[in-house]
């Protein structure tokens, strides 16, 4: 993977980004297992120096180069400053990363990245690392995970939309936004609109109107309208729902990412995927689309109402 060598083999992969607690490590573990079962050679690269408990098989670990606890102790930095220093240190040691990745040529790469939002919205270290990978003939897509519980709070959802848009513009990679933990959404509370309203980011004026019904947000209506205008003017943000426990949901995400980074799987892999999905239909197949997720959510809400009525 020598820099600038046009004849070298292309490498495909995903950079998995998102705020803390959004499920990045769980996603990498699930996607590694899912792709492995269809015959794809997958290498997981941990770029999070604060990631100590990794459930997946980690082939390349930034902890061999630098760790967050060491930086915080030796340089007297807090966790945010320490993470930024670690990324800048990795940027200054590209040769270490290149040597480690060269041992896994022909593999599909999953890069598990830190959860500090600043690294994706305005700091350049990770952006420069991704650009360097592109020079090494990596074809990457950014997979941006957002916890689906933000859908239950209109104010937080607008904030998530702004963060997602800022990340897309700053990182400068093909981008797939993911609403993670969809299997838990019924536990987070009642949605104001159908799920497709949030995944497709439909007419956001309804969201502003809904916020205005809250006395606290009524005074900020003009600000919310301007934020929504920015999001709608770019018309870039949409989401793919994900339940990492569901094979069909994982397949939809995988195909969205493959389309984004240009990966095209071969006939053998296609047959393996078909066999895996046919087994999923008979075993643990839950839902196949946003509509099905919404239906499951509505049913859980109906059951909750019925239980309340019975208690009365």
């Amino acid at each position: 993977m020598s820099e600038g060598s046009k004849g070298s083999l292309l490498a495909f992969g995903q950079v998995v980004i998102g705020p803390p607690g959004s499920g990045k490590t769980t996603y990498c573990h699930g996607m590694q297992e899912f792709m492995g079962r269809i015959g794809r050679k997958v290498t997981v690269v941990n770029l999070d120096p604060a990631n100590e408990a990794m459930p997946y098989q980690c082939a390349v670990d930034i902890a061999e180069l630098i760790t967050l606890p060491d930086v915080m102790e030796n340089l007297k930095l807090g966790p945010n400053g320490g993470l930024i220093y670690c990324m800048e240190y990795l940027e200054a040691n590209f040769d270490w990363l290149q040597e480690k990745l060269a041992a896994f040529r022909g593999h599909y790469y999953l890069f598990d990245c830190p959860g500090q939002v600043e690294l994706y919205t305005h700091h350049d270290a990770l952006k420069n690392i991704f650009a360097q990978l592109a020079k090494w003939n990596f074809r990457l897509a950014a997979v941006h995970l957002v916890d689906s519980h933000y859908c239950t709070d209109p104010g937080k959802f607008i904030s998530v939309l702004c963060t997602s848009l800022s990340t897309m513009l700053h990182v400068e990679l093909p981008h797939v936004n993911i609403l993670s933990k969809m299997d838990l959404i019924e536990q987070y509370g009642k949605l104001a609109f159908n799920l497709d309203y949030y995944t497709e980011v439909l007419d956001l004026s309804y969201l502003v109107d809904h916020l205005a019904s809250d006395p606290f947000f009524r005074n900020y209506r003009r600000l919310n309208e301007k934020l929504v205008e920015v999001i709608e003017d770019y018309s870039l943000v949409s989401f793919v729902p994900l339940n990492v426990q569901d094979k069909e949901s994982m397949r939809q995400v995988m195909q969205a990412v493959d389309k984004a980074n240009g990966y095209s799987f071969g006939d053998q892999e296609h047959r393996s995927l078909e066999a895996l999905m046919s087994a999923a239909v008979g075993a643990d197949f839950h839902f196949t689309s946003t509509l099905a997720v919404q239906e499951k959510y509505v049913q859980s809400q109906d059951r909750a109402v019925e239980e309340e009525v019975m208690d009365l």
Side-chain angles (χ1 to χ4, degrees), residues 162 165 225-235:
C162 292
L165 177 60
E225 287 176 345
K226 289 301 181 182
L227 291 174
V228 162
E229 284 179 17
V230 171
I231 296 165
E232 292 185 330
D233 284 347
Y234 276 96
S235 190

Side-chain angles (χ1 to χ4, degrees), residues 28 31-45 57 59 104 106-110:
C28 289
M31 190 58 73
Q32 181 187 46
E33 289 188 344
F34 184 82
M35 289 184 172
R37 292 183 65 180
I38 64 173
R40 191 178 299 187
K41 295 179 180 179
V42 181
T43 293
V44 182
V45 180
Q57 296 178 1
F104 301 96
H107 286 214
Y108 188 98
Y109 296 83
L110 297 173

